[in-house]
């Protein structure tokens, strides 16, 4: 940072007024903040340096919100117009005609720069005709009051404005972008308020951004997805500024329009936390209309807040409202996300059982190729959950065709990853790695969040590690972990540390494996999904058993209550109900493999064979993406002989999930209370109007 010209200038001028001043590790961050806030403007930096005679860099950086007051003193030998920052900016203002001043103050509402189309729509008005906006923009740029940036969404890939812009001519992100330095924009905002135009211009700005988002939204599922994602990314600051203004102005109709239009953009881009905050604020606003726009916004909100059948308090209330609104729409075809979300939530309310695939069928029969693709993907996932791998492969192939027809890279990415899971289970590691890599390539241009794709990176790394590409696998995990930690996701962080632990265990580094799995356990305790804790506990139990079997002892001496075998038993006793609670067949199968490992270490080889059979039966295939099941099988076969092993394995494979649940003395978890039962008071519907489809 000290080599940057702006920072160097600030440090030199500060040293001139305060001898001994220097850039240090303690002040460098504040000095960079000052230079960035002042856009690197030499005069503004010199004025800030004068303040460093009496204030610390941290104090100056913290007070730049009121920069004109703070930088009100300059060199007495400078020209009068250069003695203060305000004087310098006002001198530029005084040189402009009325059209230039009108454009300057109105452009200040654009926090992320403006295109010609947006400036013409928002800034035209008294003193500035629409036809004169371009000339005024050029004049401000000539006087260095605007920075002109070329490129942008028109070079972002995709097919440009395919299908038109829905009445927003020139709003597809093409052409130059005009951006104000923050100091210039701050002065313009003052002048806008003085002119009494702030309400009108900010509303025009928010209305324009809402129309732009609504134009882009249906294209985010189609072949020009990348182009329109780039358009919205270029307007990201403006879009969020418009939404914040609508919330502060109490305009619920405008705010919910923006949320409905931006929901899928936020989802694709991984803006989870921002989206959650906006949805929480907007859905709490009074005067929210009971219409399709509100239902669409709430459906998007459910995607960000619904944590699975184990945690649905806020999402449940929103879902009930969505279903009530959509029922009232009659024969009108609601938004695709509404059709998908209502169907999925009915499926959750039904509970995971053999009827679940039937609940998803309305999506498969939908006229929209994207909705059909979602339906096939969901049915494929359900088939995997019930151990029907062949059916899953067929549905996933149909889903991939549908997403390719629609042009949705997100859908292609997730479907390819699911196909990669099947290949990984079958031991086709190179083919699986290729599919995971292709899935990530499809997603990369969308800029998707780490939370959605961290598992994809982890699965790719696992296949590469099994192929012997250990360094590459480690690099992929390192990058995914940085993303997960930056995002603050305990689920993703736990999963990745678990994967590190598995790699270390395979390599024979039990100390590193134990350290990583301890991290994974710590993060899993903060996570909501019960299946994650079941997976981590099982991985740690495997390590306990290997330590016990080797006679090496664990880092804690094999556990305080009698060695690795006892520690493993405790962990698996906790993992079983957590896995059952998730009603996820592959996760239950993983825990059963852990119990088989415990059984074979205890000398109960026949039980180990039965547990392996049940695990493979529930999953529908032996999981060859992990070496442990084959190793456990080899130990059990050696103890039993092939014929006895096969007989016990066959008996185990005939057991169902309900057999497993009953065998452990547990009960199948009831369906989540997503929909109020008849006569039951619904907290989201206190008037008792009822929720369509309630069971």
């Amino acid at each position: 940072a000290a080599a940057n010209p702006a920072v160097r200038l600030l440090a030199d001028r500060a040293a001139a007024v305060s001898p001994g001043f220097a850039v240090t590790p303690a002040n460098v961050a504040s000095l960079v903040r000052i230079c960035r806030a002042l856009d690197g403007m030499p005069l503004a930096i010199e004025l800030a340096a004068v303040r460093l005679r009496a204030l610390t860099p941290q104090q100056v950086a913290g007070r730049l919100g009121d920069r004109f007051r703070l930088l009100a003193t300059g060199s007495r030998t400078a020209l009068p117009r250069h003695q203060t920052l305000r004087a310098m900016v006002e001198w530029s203002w005084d040189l402009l005609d009325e059209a230039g001043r009108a454009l300057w103050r109105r452009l200040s509402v654009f926090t992320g720069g403006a295109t010609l189309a947006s400036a013409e729509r928002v800034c035209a008005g008294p003193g500035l005709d629409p036809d004169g906006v371009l000339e005024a923009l050029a004049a401000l740029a000539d006087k260095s009051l605007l920075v002109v940036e070329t490129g942008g969404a028109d070079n972002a890939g995709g097919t440009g404005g395919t299908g038109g812009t829905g009445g927003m001519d020139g709003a597809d992100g093409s052409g130059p972008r005009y951006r104000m330095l923050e100091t210039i924009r701050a002065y313009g905002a003052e002048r806008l308020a003085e002119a009494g135009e702030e309400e009108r211009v900010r509303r025009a700005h928010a209305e324009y951004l809402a129309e732009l988002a609504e134009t882009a939204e249906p294209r985010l599922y189609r072949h020009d997805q990348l182009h329109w994602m780039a358009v919205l990314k270029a307007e990201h600051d403006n879009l969020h500024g418009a939404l914040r203004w609508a919330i502060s102005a109490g305009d619920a109709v405008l705010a919910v329009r923006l949320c409905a239009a931006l929901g899928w953009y936020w989802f694709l881009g991984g803006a989870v936390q921002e989206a959650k905050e906006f949805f929480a604020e907007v859905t709490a606003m009074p005067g929210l209309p009971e219409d399709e726009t509100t239902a669409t916004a709430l459906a998007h909100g459910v995607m960000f807040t619904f944590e699975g059948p184990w945690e649905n308090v806020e999402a449940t209330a929103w879902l009930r409202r969505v279903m009530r609104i959509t029922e009232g729409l009659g024969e009108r075809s609601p938004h695709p996300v509404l059709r998908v979300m209502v169907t999925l939530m009915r499926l959750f309310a039904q509970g995971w059982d053999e009827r679940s695939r039937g609940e998803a069928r309305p999506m498969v029969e939908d006229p929209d190729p994207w909705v059909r693709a979602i339906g096939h993907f969901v049915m494929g996932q359900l088939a995997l959950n019930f151990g029907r791998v062949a059916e899953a492969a067929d549905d996933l192939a149909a889903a991939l065709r549908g997403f390719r027809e629609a042009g949705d890279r997100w859908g292609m990415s997730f479907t390819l990853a699911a196909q990669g899971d099947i290949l990984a289970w079958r031991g086709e590691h190179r083919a699986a790695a290729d599919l995971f890599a292709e899935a990530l390539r499809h997603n990369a241009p969308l800029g998707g969040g780490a939370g959605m794709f961290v598992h994809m990176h982890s699965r790719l790394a696992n296949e590469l590690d099994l192929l012997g590409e250990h360094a590459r696998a480690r690099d992929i995990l390192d990058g995914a972990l940085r993303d997960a930690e930056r995002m603050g996701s305990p689920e993703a962080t736990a999963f990745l540390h678990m994967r590190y632990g598995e790699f270390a265990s395979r390599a024979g580094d039990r100390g590193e494996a134990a350290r990583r799995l301890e991290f994974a356990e710590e993060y899993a305790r903060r996570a909501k999904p019960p299946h994650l804790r079941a997976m981590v506990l099982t991985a740690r139990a495997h390590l306990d058993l290997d330590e016990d079997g080797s006679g090496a002892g664990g880092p804690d001496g094999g556990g305080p209550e009698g060695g690795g075998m006892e520690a493993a038993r405790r962990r698996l006793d906790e993992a079983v109900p957590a896995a059952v609670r998730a009603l996820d067949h592959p996760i239950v199968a993983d825990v059963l493999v852990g119990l088989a490992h415990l059984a074979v270490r205890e000398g109960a080889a026949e039980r180990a064979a039965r547990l392996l059979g049940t695990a493979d039966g529930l999953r529908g295939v032996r999981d060859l993406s992990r070496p442990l099941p084959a190793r456990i099988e080899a130990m059990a076969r050696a103890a039993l002989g092939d014929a006895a092993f096969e007989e016990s394995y066959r008996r185990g494979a005939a057991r169902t999930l309900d057999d497993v649940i009953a065998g452990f003395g547990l009960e199948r978890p009831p369906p989540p209370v997503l929909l109020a039962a008849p006569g039951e008071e619904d907290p989201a519907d206190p008037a008792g109007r009822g929720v369509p489809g309630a069971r």
Side-chain angles (χ1 to χ4, degrees):
N4 179 274
V7 176
R8 258 201 333 269
L9 175 63
L10 179 57
D12 290 346
R13 294 297 183 266
V17 299
S18 181
F21 183 90
V23 180
T24 69
N27 67 21
V28 65
S30 296
L31 297 177
V32 169
R33 280 180 60 203
I34 293 168
C35 293
R36 284 180 175 162
L38 298 176
D39 302 296
M41 295 168 60
L43 175 62
I45 287 173
E46 292 190 17
L47 294 172
V50 173
R51 286 299 184 191
L52 291 173
R53 181 167 48 196
L55 299 173
T56 67
Q58 292 87 344
Q59 288 173 316
V60 172
R63 292 168 179 260
L64 281 176
D66 191 4
R67 65 193 66 198
F68 297 116
R69 182 179 177 186
L70 177 68
L71 306 182
T73 303
S75 170
R76 289 189 294 271
T77 63
L79 292 172
R81 66 175 179 267
H82 284 173
Q83 287 182 359
T84 70
L85 184 62
R86 177 176 291 280
M88 180 195 74
V89 177
E90 286 182 339
W91 178 70
S92 298
W93 174 270
D94 291 339
L95 294 176
L96 295 176
D97 60 15
E98 178 53 33
R101 294 175 184 174
L103 182 60
W104 180 345
R105 63 179 180 258
R106 294 167 192 168
L107 273 177
S108 69
V109 301
F110 287 89
T111 54
T115 62
L116 174 60
S118 60
E120 287 175 335
R121 275 284 303 274
V122 175
C123 300
L128 180 62
D129 294 330
D131 293 340
V133 170
L134 177 58
E135 182 179 348
L137 283 169
L140 292 183
D142 287 343
K143 294 176 175 61
S144 299
L145 295 169
L146 287 178
V147 176
V148 183
E149 300 170 340
T150 57
D154 50 336
N155 296 322
T159 56
T162 300
T165 54
M168 297 195 67
D169 186 35
D172 64 351
S174 58
R177 192 168 196 83
Y178 303 91
R179 184 175 64 84
M180 280 184 165
L181 301 180
E182 279 304 300
T183 298
I184 303 302
R185 197 173 75 83
Y187 184 81
E190 288 186 7
R191 290 294 193 172
L192 184 70
E194 289 174 6
E197 296 180 331
E198 187 170 12
E199 164 71 23
R200 179 184 66 80
V201 176
R202 289 199 176 278
R203 178 167 295 282
H205 176 261
E207 291 280 359
Y208 174 84
L209 269 299
E211 290 179 31
L212 176 64
E214 288 167 342
T215 298
E217 195 270 346
R219 294 162 170 84
L220 297 180
Y221 312 86
R222 300 295 186 245
H223 289 282
D224 46 359
Q225 180 182 59
L226 290 184
H227 170 79
W228 286 98
M229 279 294 290
V231 170
L232 294 180
K233 284 178 181 177
E235 298 290 358
H236 184 89
D237 290 343
N238 282 319
L239 288 162
H240 285 197
L243 179 50
R244 289 189 185 97
W245 178 83
I247 294 170
S248 67
D251 192 332
V253 173
L254 182 55
V256 80
R257 280 179 60 199
L258 281 158
C259 273
L262 291 175
W264 197 250
Y265 161 68
W266 287 328
F267 182 76
L268 290 178
V272 176
Q273 194 54 44
E274 286 177 297
K276 281 185 175 181
E277 291 170 3
F278 278 131
F279 281 120
E281 286 190 76
V282 172
T283 55
M285 294 178 72
L288 214 59
E290 296 289 301
D291 60 10
E292 184 173 348
T293 301
T294 294
T296 302
L298 289 167
H300 280 120
V302 170
M303 291 192 307
F304 288 100
T305 57
F306 185 73
E307 302 285 356
W310 45 87
E311 186 76 27
N312 0 260
V313 178
E314 188 173 36
T316 298
W318 291 355
L319 172 67
R320 290 167 170 166
R321 192 170 180 182
V322 167
M323 297 182 76
R324 186 170 64 241
I325 293 172
T326 53
E327 181 73 6
L329 295 175
E331 296 300 317
R332 289 175 50 209
S333 177
H335 191 285
V337 168
L338 280 181
R339 302 204 293 277
V340 167
M341 190 57 62
V342 169
T343 301
L344 288 179
M345 292 302 113
R346 288 192 190 283
L347 190 154
F348 272 111
Q350 180 78 31
W352 297 112
D353 56 30
E354 296 300 316
R355 297 171 294 175
S356 297
R357 280 169 58 84
E359 293 288 331
R361 187 154 298 281
M363 290 189 288
V364 172
E365 298 169 352
D366 197 276
D368 187 315
W370 182 80
V371 176
R372 288 200 305 273
I374 291 280
H376 279 296
F377 179 79
V378 169
M379 291 182 72
Q381 290 292 331
L382 289 169
L384 287 178
N385 188 77
F386 297 127
R388 298 175 178 174
V389 177
E391 290 180 28
D394 290 341
D395 272 313
L396 292 174
L400 187 59
R401 289 193 299 272
F403 285 126
R404 282 180 171 150
E405 179 187 351
D408 180 14
R409 301 174 72 97
W410 169 83
M412 287 186 266
S413 179
F414 267 87
T415 306
L416 287 164
Q419 291 177 322
D421 283 335
I422 294 175
L423 293 179
W425 286 351
R426 290 172 173 165
E428 299 177 41
H429 303 306
R430 178 58 63 191
D434 289 344
L435 283 188
F436 290 137
E438 184 182 353
L440 288 165
R441 283 195 298 272
H442 276 293
N443 172 64
L446 295 173
M452 292 193 293
F453 290 92
V454 67
H455 296 287
M456 215 173 287
H457 282 95
S458 172
R459 279 129 74 187
L460 171 59
N462 186 64
E463 297 307 295
L464 293 174
D465 189 68
L466 292 171
L467 289 165
E469 299 181 34
H470 307 302
R472 186 181 168 202
R474 180 71 181 229
D475 286 345
I476 290 171
L477 278 192
D478 289 346
L481 184 61
R482 286 192 295 270
D483 287 341
E485 289 175 339
R486 183 170 59 247
M487 189 182 62
S489 167
E491 293 85 1
T493 306
F495 190 86
L496 289 167
H497 279 298
M498 182 183 70
R499 189 69 84 192
Y500 277 113
E502 291 175 347
F503 286 8
S505 182
R506 286 178 204 165
D509 188 346
R510 292 186 179 126
E512 170 68 1
R515 186 175 72 86
R516 289 291 187 173
L517 290 172
E518 284 170 8
F519 281 140
E521 282 195 80
E522 178 185 341
Y523 281 103
R525 290 188 194 100
R526 309 179 204 168
K528 291 177 181 176
H531 68 265
L532 178 61
R533 180 138 180 83
M535 293 171 67
V536 172
L537 287 166
T538 301
R540 188 64 180 89
H542 282 303
L543 185 64
D544 292 331
L545 292 166
D546 281 340
E547 289 167 350
D548 189 84
S550 69
D556 57 359
E561 297 179 20
M565 199 173 293
E566 289 304 315
R569 182 177 287 106
R570 291 195 307 275
R571 289 187 168 97
L572 290 168
D573 284 346
E574 185 180 347
V576 168
V580 166
R581 187 178 171 206
L583 288 178
D584 187 311
H585 285 53
I587 302 300
V588 174
D590 285 346
V591 177
L592 294 179
V593 172
L595 290 167
H597 194 180
L598 175 63
V600 81
R601 291 292 190 193
E602 290 177 323
E606 191 273 338
R607 182 168 186 263
R610 278 190 287 109
L611 287 165
L612 285 176
T614 305
D616 291 352
L618 291 180
R619 190 185 295 104
V621 64
R622 165 65 58 84
D623 181 6
L624 298 180
S625 69
R626 292 172 177 168
L628 262 172
R631 183 154 60 87
I632 297 166
E633 177 179 336
M635 289 189 285
R637 279 186 183 276
L640 292 173
D642 289 342
F645 176 87
E646 295 292 347
E647 174 61 22
S648 296
Y649 179 91
R650 182 187 59 76
R651 290 203 312 271
R655 300 179 75 208
T656 66
L657 179 61
D658 285 330
D659 292 333
V660 172
I661 292 172
F664 284 106
L666 302 172
E667 294 183 0
R668 175 181 278 268
V673 185
L674 293 178
L675 307 174
E680 176 188 354
E681 181 179 347
D682 181 351
D685 184 24
R689 289 171 287 183
V691 181
R695 294 176 62 249

